[in-house]
Amino acid sequence: MTNTIDDVYQEFLSQMEEEAFLEPYREACRYIEQKLEKINIEYSEKLGRNFIGQTICRIKTPESCLNKMIKKKYIVKQQTAQEYLSDISGIRVICNFLDDIYRLAEILKADEKLEVIKTKDYVKKPKSSGYQSLHMIVLVPVDGAGKKRVEIQIRTQAMNLWAVVEHHFVYKKGDYEKHEFEKDLKECARAIYKIDKKMLVIREKMEAACKEM
């Protein structure tokens, strides 16, 4: 008997919940999280201020994976998801200052145990929606499972606030009345970038003043 589309989707959702499939991605995420903790301790001491404000790990839900597979017109199979989806495992890194985004990116690039396979800079070149963040896809070694991809999103506190609001009210709702808020969201994104730059200038002035004391 030929499987229906619903049968294929249900089988995919079931496969994406399998523990044997998910655990290597969780392990890869934990690996990056632990690495970030060490980086934060080292650089917070060097800089004399908190370097990383927060890290948030997440594993993409089977439903989100399915939606992305359909949107990208991929064959809906677990093997295809593993091959083409770079964000099954992800970690969001919240920094306090704009320059710390790029400082952290360079630290990760220099790590010999990580292989950076793609970087997308949505800070210097925001998405059309106004979204700002630096994305890095890295390959992480996992015992017994080869290497797994982890998407690292690095952004400031202000950028994260914008992204959380946009994700909840627009992204997850599809195109529902999106046009009503698009202009306001873009204006807020531009204002946030200006604030981030201003806060960086203020911090640098404060640091310079402390050195003169």
Side-chain angles (χ1 to χ4, degrees), residues 16 21 27 50 82 89 107 125 129 146 182 191:
M16 295 298 284
F21 176 78
E27 182 61 31
N50 195 29
Q82 187 168 277
S89 182
I107 294 168
K125 190 176 181 181
S129 63
E182 196 168 24

Side-chain angles (χ1 to χ4, degrees), residues 15-147:
Q15 289 175 342
M16 295 298 284
E17 290 178 339
E18 293 173 358
E19 193 65 22
F21 176 78
L22 290 174
E23 185 53 32
Y25 286 99
R26 294 196 192 105
E27 182 61 31
C29 206
R30 286 192 291 266
Y31 181 91
I32 295 295
E33 188 173 35
Q34 291 168 4
K35 186 172 289 291
L36 288 168
E37 286 176 2
K38 292 178 181 178
I39 290 171
N40 189 36
I41 291 170
E42 179 184 351
Y43 279 83
S44 293
E45 186 175 342
K46 283 183 180 179
L47 298 169
R49 58 180 174 80
N50 195 29
F51 182 47
I52 296 173
Q54 186 182 16
T55 58
I56 305 164
C57 281
R58 70 104 183 93
I59 300 298
K60 202 173 186 70
T61 66
E63 291 76 16
S64 291
C65 289
L66 175 60
N67 290 336
K68 192 164 187 177
M69 296 287 284
I70 295 171
K71 183 179 179 180
K72 295 288 187 179
K73 298 182 180 180
Y74 296 142
I75 296 172
V76 180
K77 291 183 177 180
Q78 184 192 74
Q79 183 179 352
T80 309
Q82 187 168 277
E83 184 177 352
Y84 289 105
L85 298 188
S86 297
D87 60 345
I88 295 177
S89 182
I91 185 162
R92 186 180 307 153
V93 188
I94 313 300
C95 297
N96 292 321
F97 295 100
L98 197 57
D99 62 337
D100 287 339
I101 292 175
Y102 297 99
R103 194 194 308 268
L104 178 56
E106 290 304 314
I107 294 168
L108 293 172
K109 287 177 184 177
D111 193 313
E112 294 180 353
K113 293 184 178 180
L114 297 179
E115 181 182 347
V116 179
I117 58 176
K118 183 181 288 188
T119 300
K120 288 188 177 180
D121 192 342
Y122 297 118
V123 177
K124 291 180 179 176
K125 190 176 181 181
K127 289 186 177 183
S128 59
S129 63
Y131 174 87
Q132 301 170 81
S133 187
L134 181 71
H135 289 197
M136 301 176 72
I137 306 298
V138 301
L139 285 176
V140 177
V142 178
D143 289 343
K147 294 182 178 180

Side-chain angles (χ1 to χ4, degrees), residues 123-196:
V123 177
K124 291 180 179 176
K125 190 176 181 181
K127 289 186 177 183
S128 59
S129 63
Y131 174 87
Q132 301 170 81
S133 187
L134 181 71
H135 289 197
M136 301 176 72
I137 306 298
V138 301
L139 285 176
V140 177
V142 178
D143 289 343
K147 294 182 178 180
K148 294 298 178 185
R149 283 173 289 183
V150 177
E151 181 184 67
I152 305 173
Q153 300 177 354
I154 314 172
R155 60 182 71 151
T156 64
Q157 300 277 5
M159 290 174 189
N160 190 59
L161 172 61
W162 186 98
V164 169
V165 172
E166 194 268 350
H167 187 78
H168 180 75
F169 288 104
V170 178
Y171 183 79
K172 285 294 184 182
K173 306 297 182 183
D175 292 327
Y176 173 69
E177 295 183 347
K178 180 179 178 179
H179 62 281
E180 293 187 20
F181 313 107
E182 196 168 24
K183 183 180 177 181
D184 290 335
L185 283 167
K186 286 182 179 180
E187 288 178 357
C188 283
R190 286 191 290 267
I192 282 170
Y193 187 66
K194 289 180 181 178
I195 290 170
D196 274 331

